[in-house]
């Protein structure tokens, strides 16, 4: 049921009515499926799981348990921001501070797929441990949307990378899955979120991968590298967020290639990190173009990062389309 995309552009009133209908219909379906039983949701703070939580909260007030596994690979201040929004809601919000666990499992690991696998496995392990503490919860909810289904290979599409957030294992022991957004594209999900009254900062959030900045730090992940990347990334986002909405890329962030280059600081030789800036414009994230950001914006980003982030003396801009590049570097 790909409801709104085609309607959104020309008939907004009709869209609002369609959204209200969609929400009403999903609430009725969730209530019929779950009844008085409990539902568990892994909340990442992304648009999909957040809208999923808000929808289920409306359908089943108090019956939803949300677990937010903070793996320490979030963007600057993001864990606290997510906790601030959701701990106020009627959804039994639990934040698990698992940063140390993830970092120690990732120590010494450099292969991209091995890193993804570890992050995915550890995520499920932490989630299961927390779920076990809650006792028996009958249903598992997931914010799966249509492109997740397509990109994970289940619709005859080729799998390019392992995404950990689509499928929790079947043997996790639930009576059923609740996936109210499975038929929707991202823009539709945002529209549903707005209709449900979620804050704009959350609804308009750019996509963020399940393994977080773990796939934006090439090679071994350490706390120091995470902190450095977070600072640079916050500057990239802050500067690009100043652009008018219509000229903003679909996704924009910083990458730490984990390479040092020679530079000059205070008239002395320095040997410091490179930061790469990635910004892509795409409709479906399956293909995309690098965004033609103005030199003015790029210069401000480069000047700020090299001045404000200790240990970075060079900034480069990735001008690769997808394909052959992917959005993320790992
Ligand atoms: P790529 O790098 O494959 O990214 O061109 C396409 C889109 O998917 C996001 N992405 C992920 N999302 N778990 C996710 O939830 C993942 O493992 C993952 N890897 C990539 C990426 O940020 C982009 O939006």
């Amino acid at each position: 049921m790909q409801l709104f995309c085609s309607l959104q552009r020309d008939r907004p009133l009709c869209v609002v009515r369609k959204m209200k209908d969609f929400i009403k219909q999903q609430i009725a379906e969730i209530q019929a499926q779950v009844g008085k039983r409990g539902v568990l949701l892994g909340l990442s703070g992304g648009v999909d799981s957040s809208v999923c939580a808000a929808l289920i909260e409306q359908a089943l007030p108090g019956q939803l348990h949300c677990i937010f596994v903070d793996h320490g690979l979030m963007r600057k201040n993001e864990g606290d921001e997510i906790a601030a929004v959701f701990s106020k809601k009627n959804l039994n919000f639990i934040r698990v501070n698992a940063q140390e666990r993830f970092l120690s499992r990732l120590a010494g690991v450099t292969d991209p797929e091995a890193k993804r696998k570890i992050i995915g496995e550890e995520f499920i392990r932490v989630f299961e441990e927390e779920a076990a503490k809650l006792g028996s919860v009958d249903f598992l909810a997931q914010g799966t949307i249509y492109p997740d289904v397509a990109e994970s290979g289940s619709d005859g599409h080729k799998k390019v990378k392992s995404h950990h957030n689509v499928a929790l294992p079947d043997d996790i022991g639930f009576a059923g899955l609740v996936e109210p957004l499975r038929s929707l594209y991202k823009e539709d999900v945002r529209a549903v979120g707005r209709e449900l009254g979620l804050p704009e900062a959350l609804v308009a959030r750019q996509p963020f991968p399940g393994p977080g900045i773990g796939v934006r730090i090439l090679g071994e992940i350490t706390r120091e590298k995470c902190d450095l990347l977070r600072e640079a990334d916050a500057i990239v986002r802050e500067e690009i967020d100043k652009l008018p909405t219509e000229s903003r890329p679909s996704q924009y962030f910083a990458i730490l290639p984990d390479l040092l280059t020679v530079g000059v600081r205070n008239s002395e030789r320095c040997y410091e990190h490179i930061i790469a800036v990635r910004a892509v414009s795409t409709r479906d994230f399956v293909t995309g173009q690098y965004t033609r950001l103005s030199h003015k914006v790029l210069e401000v980003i480069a000047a700020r990062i090299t001045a404000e982030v200790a240990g970075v003396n060079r900034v480069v801009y990735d001008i690769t389309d997808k394909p052959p590049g992917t959005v993320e570097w790992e």
Side-chain angles (χ1 to χ4, degrees):
M1 195 193 335
Q2 285 136 25
L3 268 184
F4 313 126
C5 276
S6 55
L7 295 171
Q8 244 166 350
R9 280 183 286 276
D10 32 339
R11 297 166 67 193
L13 272 178
C14 175
V15 172
V16 171
R17 216 161 24 237
K18 286 271 180 201
M19 273 186 296
K20 284 191 196 310
D21 287 348
F22 175 82
I23 291 168
K24 227 163 104 185
Q25 182 195 337
Q26 288 304 320
I27 287 177
E29 282 181 21
I30 295 166
Q31 287 169 338
Q33 183 187 8
V34 175
K36 296 262 171 260
R37 292 172 285 180
V39 183
L40 182 62
L41 172 74
L43 187 68
S44 68
V47 181
D48 307 339
S49 63
S50 300
V51 172
C52 187
L55 192 55
I56 299 174
E57 185 204 16
Q58 288 225 341
L60 312 164
Q63 285 167 252
L64 178 63
H65 298 265
C66 285
I67 298 175
F68 164 45
V69 177
D70 188 345
H71 50 26
L73 303 167
M74 309 294 287
R75 291 170 289 196
K76 189 175 176 187
N77 299 330
E78 200 164 35
D80 293 342
E81 285 164 11
I82 292 165
V85 172
F86 289 100
S87 53
K88 289 193 207 106
K89 294 190 178 289
N90 186 12
L91 36 68
N92 307 296
F93 177 79
I94 301 162
R95 176 183 185 173
V96 192
N97 290 313
Q99 295 92 329
E100 290 305 328
R101 258 179 93 151
F102 279 83
L103 280 177
S104 69
R105 283 230 35 218
L106 287 164
V109 183
T110 56
D111 176 72
E113 280 298 298
K115 283 160 64 179
R116 272 169 186 275
K117 196 155 173 263
I118 289 172
I119 297 169
E121 278 172 8
E122 198 60 21
F123 180 90
I124 290 166
R125 204 165 296 156
V126 175
F127 186 83
E128 281 177 331
E129 282 174 23
E130 283 307 309
K133 289 183 198 162
L134 293 174
S136 141
V137 179
D138 298 285
F139 288 87
L140 179 70
Q142 295 196 123
T144 314
I145 66 169
Y146 184 72
D148 295 332
V149 179
E151 275 229 322
S152 290
S154 43
D155 259 13
H157 291 62
K158 254 202 195 133
K159 181 170 155 181
V160 179
K161 293 177 188 171
S162 45
H163 283 206
H164 83 259
N165 54 335
V166 176
L168 285 164
D170 296 338
D171 62 3
I172 202 163
F174 290 94
L177 274 182
V178 181
E179 293 184 306
L181 310 176
R182 206 179 160 80
S183 61
L184 303 185
Y185 281 101
K186 197 68 140 199
E187 282 315 306
D188 306 330
V189 177
R190 293 190 209 279
V192 171
R194 288 190 183 101
E195 189 59 34
L196 290 169
L198 284 174
E200 187 59 25
L202 216 153
V203 169
R205 192 178 185 256
Q206 52 169 308
F208 186 62
I213 60 172
V215 291
R216 296 177 180 174
I217 294 171
L218 308 198
E220 186 185 8
I221 298 168
T222 64
R223 177 185 298 282
E224 292 70 31
K225 289 182 203 171
C226 289
D227 289 342
L228 187 148
L229 179 60
R230 270 193 271 268
E231 292 304 319
D233 181 69
I235 293 172
V236 172
R237 288 186 293 122
E238 207 180 299
E239 291 304 324
I240 295 180
D241 283 340
K242 290 178 185 165
L243 298 173
T245 321
E246 62 284 359
S247 48
R248 248 176 253 159
S250 316
Q251 208 170 343
Y252 41 102
F253 52 87
I255 286 163
L256 187 69
D258 203 15
L259 277 176
L260 304 184
T261 67
V262 174
V264 185
R265 195 180 289 286
N266 303 325
S267 311
E268 287 196 14
R269 178 190 185 276
C270 60
Y271 189 49
E272 296 177 353
H273 275 286
I274 299 179
I275 283 289
V277 177
R278 182 74 164 137
V280 290
S281 302
T282 169
R283 286 188 74 82
D284 57 10
F285 292 90
V286 177
T287 61
Q289 287 75 46
Y290 86 87
T291 309
R292 273 76 176 160
L293 289 176
S294 75
H295 276 268
K296 209 167 134 210
V297 172
L298 290 169
E299 280 162 20
V300 173
I301 290 173
R304 281 197 59 195
I305 291 176
T306 50
E308 295 173 33
V309 184
V312 179
N313 65 1
R314 192 178 297 272
V315 175
V316 297
Y317 188 46
D318 181 353
I319 56 164
T320 320
D321 291 341
K322 174 182 179 178
T326 46
V327 174
E328 306 294 342
W329 277 27
E330 282 198 341

